[in-house]
Amino acid sequence: MKNPAPSFASAVSDPELVGDHPALDLLNTIARVDGGLVDVWQSDEDVLRWLVRTELMEAKAASPARRGALLAAARKLREIARVLVTARKANRRLDAGPLNDFLAQAESHSELIRGKDGALSVVRRYEQTNANGVLAPLAEAVAEFLATADFHLVRRCEGEDCVLWFYDRTKAHRRRWCSMEGCGNRAKVARFRSRLSR
Ligand SMILES: [Zn+2]
């Protein structure tokens, strides 16, 4: 994560969302690239783009004023989530304090809206003038995930050195890889080679 190459941010800042849940895709914003761990978040803009891609934010929403504040808060939330997800997966006792502190700083209200087809629905609007407000939907998604996800289906990719997490939503619940094209394919090639060398 230290001294990423200048071209890095644009090269891999939009990783595939393989986690199948924002709480895990959040952890996956630190990934292994060419053997080293890299942080795909290098700026406020990287975080904003990620939030839009994961549908935790509308495309037009404004960035908080102080530069770098969103990046710092997002990285902090990511580490809070990493500790909690790892502990929950290992059946260890959770300290919800840091996440609750984060959640407590969000301000939001409900709004009744009429869709294009005339149907009514209730949406939650967040006060987005500070970084924690922008990240509030993500923090809430993490809390919801910890409380309701089936952690038997929360797994790390079995790929050698791969650090990615996913929520196995496949019917048979036998998903083993972050992606079939990536680690799945590498494992297939390795099995093939070991058969040949026997
Ligand atoms: Zn993998």
Side-chain angles (χ1 to χ4, degrees):
M1 257 164 285
K2 277 176 207 154
N3 305 322
S7 63
F8 164 71
S10 56
V12 287
S13 58
D14 289 332
E16 293 290 321
L17 299 171
V18 299
D20 247 339
H21 192 286
L24 298 177
D25 281 321
L26 167 63
L27 307 189
N28 293 348
T29 56
I30 288 182
R32 200 173 288 284
V33 177
D34 297 332
L37 286 179
V38 289
D39 188 342
V40 300
W41 286 346
Q42 297 294 326
S43 67
D44 291 344
E45 289 70 30
D46 290 343
V47 178
L48 287 170
R49 204 166 54 248
W50 186 91
L51 288 169
V52 172
R53 286 181 72 217
T54 50
E55 297 178 4
L56 289 164
M57 185 179 192
E58 286 174 38
K60 301 189 292 287
S63 163
R66 195 165 61 79
R67 214 172 154 67
L70 181 61
L71 176 63
R75 284 174 167 173
K76 187 177 164 196
L77 176 59
R78 180 174 60 194
E79 290 326 300
I80 291 170
R82 192 179 306 284
V83 168
L84 289 172
V85 168
T86 309
R88 175 91 167 74
K89 179 65 188 169
N91 273 325
R92 288 201 308 269
R93 221 184 133 80
L94 303 189
D95 175 11
L99 181 59
N100 284 337
D101 290 345
F102 209 99
L103 290 165
Q105 290 175 56
E107 284 176 45
S108 68
H109 61 270
S110 295
E111 188 181 323
L112 179 66
I113 57 165
R114 186 190 299 274
K116 281 196 185 102
D117 58 356
L120 294 174
S121 61
V122 179
V123 295
R124 187 140 282 272
R125 300 287 185 204
Y126 293 86
E127 180 57 59
Q128 297 197 317
T129 49
N130 65 64
N132 282 56
V134 173
L135 294 165
L138 175 59
E140 289 176 5
V142 171
E144 196 68 34
F145 185 72
L146 288 163
T148 62
D150 177 354
F151 265 69
H152 290 110
L153 305 180
V154 175
R155 301 201 194 105
R156 291 284 285 272
C157 172
E158 291 180 26
E160 201 181 334
D161 290 343
C162 187
V163 295
L164 300 183
W165 290 81
F166 58 82
Y167 194 37
D168 183 1
R169 297 183 197 262
T170 62
K171 241 189 195 154
H173 299 319
R174 289 197 193 122
R175 182 173 167 189
R176 299 171 64 191
W177 317 108
C178 58
S179 76
M180 283 317 294
E181 299 76 37
C183 290
N185 192 48
R186 272 191 289 280
K188 206 165 79 184
V189 170
R191 274 201 306 277
F192 182 69
R193 281 210 187 110
S194 74
R195 266 206 302 274
L196 284 184
S197 63
R198 255 183 242 154

